[in-house]
Amino acid sequence: MGNLVTRLNLPEAVALSLSVISPTVTAAFNITLVVQAAGPAAPLTFAIGTVAMALVALSFMAFTHRVAHAGSAYAYIAHTFGSRAGFVAGWTLFLTYLGFATGFAALVGSFTGAALKVMTIEVGSLWIVISAVAMLLAWWLAYRDMKLSGWLMLGLEAAAVVGIIALCILILRRVQPGIEDVMASFQPSVNFGGWSGLGYGMVYSILCFAGFEGAATLGEETINPRRNIPIALLGTVLGSGVFFIFVAYCEVSGFGAAGIKDLAASQAPLNDLALRYASPGLAIALDLAAATSCFCGVLGCLAAAGRVVFALGRAGLSPALAQVHATHGTPAPAVSLTAILIILPFLAWAPFAGAGNYYSYSSTIGVLALILVYIGVATAEVVEARREQQPLWSAVCVLGPLLLLWVLYKNIYPAPEYPNNLWPYVALAWMATAWVLMRFRPAVASAPLPDYS
């Protein structure tokens, strides 16, 4: 075993959370998923999602003030509910990052193909090769240098966001929506199931924020983590929330009331809007920006997942996974295992499902698992607040899990259409394997609690 090298600053921590969230991917694809469920009320869905995630972020922030740990939710829940519950939480969080990473990889190929298509170059099945190369490159970067990776992710994401905001301003100047259009975007749509449709859309809204806690996995590598990690978490949630609400409103306005179904069915809404309101050149640039953002998502999720597995390996899952590279100071074996586990399902499933469907399926599994982790962390903070005799803080923290339980319920009943009705069971089956692993690795069930000194 070894210790991770402490050399990262606030920008690198922000970069990891932003890369896992990948705001550009929300603008370029995820908004269509929210629109499929909530229709023109997509901006309202994102507004509620921002509140929900801010409440959950407060719980994560409270724990990051107490401890800097690569296991993130594993350490927090273990401290409050014991090592068994902590291991289940860490193992579930691992599934989240696996699902997001392999899904992002599919979109790298998809958006690159969309850019080439505007240039009249048909990619065909070559998108699979592009995605595979992206995963291998992300593996190499996460294996070698997290500081370089952090700055690369931050720069690419910032450039993409600037381009998207520029397109949104062009749309608003051309459309000039009235007060009725604004109101329609901030109230549930009767044509899309009202509050029920909005509740189903919330899972995709949370998907867009999912991963804000990624910076917490850098707790052992960040300088002054009890200051920098909380700032990274809350700043990522609030900044991304404002961006999502604004872009969702602009995309709904750009397609118009009569084009909501077209927006819901679009595989590349930014591409469609750029061709309609700007130029083919901007469409190509935004598609390539989305592809690079997805690559950052692969890299960020790979780095975060590797650190969670490193923490679990150190807790008794496998000593080999708790090794740190002697030169690079990264959890190299854990990163390599994670890379293999995102490449294999991609090769086995993505070519048959298609890039968009594969991302939707894998990321939905990941976000359902993450909702359970978020509920666990928020509940743990409620317990800690009561222990510390802070009843008001406890009351605030309980709002997060209550809202997430409502979202979870809306995605189980009424049951969504096949195959989306299967994904909750996949997440639960993965959680069940944690108990099997504890039978074969009993040390993880009695591992010492993380140091909160």
Side-chain angles (χ1 to χ4, degrees), residues 119-444:
M119 294 185 283
T120 68
I121 301 174
E122 289 294 336
V123 175
S125 58
L126 186 61
W127 69 270
I128 300 171
V129 178
I130 296 171
S131 296
V133 170
M135 287 185 281
L136 292 175
L137 180 57
W139 184 355
W140 181 78
L141 285 169
Y143 186 95
R144 291 183 60 85
D145 191 347
M146 194 57 221
K147 193 173 185 68
L148 170 63
S149 300
W151 280 104
L152 177 65
M153 291 185 291
L154 194 60
L156 291 174
E157 197 64 52
V161 167
V162 169
I164 293 168
I165 291 175
L167 174 60
C168 288
I169 293 173
L170 286 175
I171 292 171
L172 293 180
R173 290 181 65 181
R174 288 274 300 275
V175 175
Q176 295 184 354
I179 188 64
E180 292 183 1
D181 299 313
V182 175
M183 294 300 296
S185 295
F186 290 94
Q187 59 187 13
S189 173
V190 176
N191 295 330
F192 285 82
W195 285 104
S196 179
L198 192 143
Y200 184 55
M202 278 289 294
V203 76
Y204 296 115
S205 170
I206 291 173
L207 163 64
C208 300
F209 289 95
F212 79 86
E213 80 296 333
T217 64
L218 298 179
E220 297 177 37
E221 299 165 81
T222 302
I223 298 169
N224 195 4
R226 289 173 174 81
R227 170 188 174 273
N228 288 331
I229 298 300
I231 292 174
L233 298 183
L234 188 60
T236 299
V237 169
L238 296 181
S240 297
V242 172
F243 178 75
F244 294 155
I245 295 167
F246 175 67
V247 175
Y249 175 72
C250 292
E251 290 193 15
V252 168
S253 299
F255 275 85
I260 290 298
K261 291 186 178 179
D262 293 332
L263 174 56
S266 176
Q267 292 293 307
L270 290 181
N271 185 295
D272 296 339
L273 289 167
L275 291 174
R276 182 185 303 185
Y277 293 99
S279 66
L282 182 58
I284 293 170
L286 289 176
D287 283 332
L288 293 177
T292 57
S293 179
C294 291
F295 170 74
C296 292
V298 178
L299 176 55
C301 291
L302 182 57
R307 282 150 180 81
V308 171
V309 174
F310 167 80
L312 297 181
R314 189 172 55 186
L317 180 61
S318 170
L321 294 175
Q323 299 299 317
V324 174
H325 196 283
T327 302
H328 306 309
T330 60
V335 168
S336 296
L337 173 64
T338 301
I340 293 169
L341 292 179
I342 68 172
I343 292 172
L344 291 180
F346 173 85
L347 295 176
W349 191 5
F352 307 100
N357 284 336
Y358 181 73
Y359 170 76
S360 177
Y361 299 158
S362 63
S363 60
T364 300
I365 293 170
V367 78
L368 288 171
L370 189 58
I371 287 174
L372 296 174
V373 174
Y374 283 166
I375 291 173
V377 171
T379 303
E381 181 55 28
V382 171
V383 172
E384 293 295 328
R386 291 179 65 87
R387 288 175 178 172
E388 296 169 2
Q389 297 182 349
Q390 300 181 41
L392 182 58
W393 177 243
S394 177
V396 171
C397 292
V398 81
L399 296 176
L402 287 177
L403 189 52
L404 291 176
L405 283 171
W406 175 72
V407 173
L408 200 60
Y409 171 76
K410 285 296 182 181
N411 284 272
I412 297 174
Y413 182 84
E417 295 182 0
Y418 177 87
N420 292 323
N421 61 329
L422 301 178
W423 309 144
Y425 300 103
V426 173
L428 290 174
W430 177 272
M431 288 182 65
T433 62
W435 297 98
V436 177
L437 287 172
M438 282 190 283
R439 296 277 295 180
F440 289 95
R441 291 287 187 270
V444 300

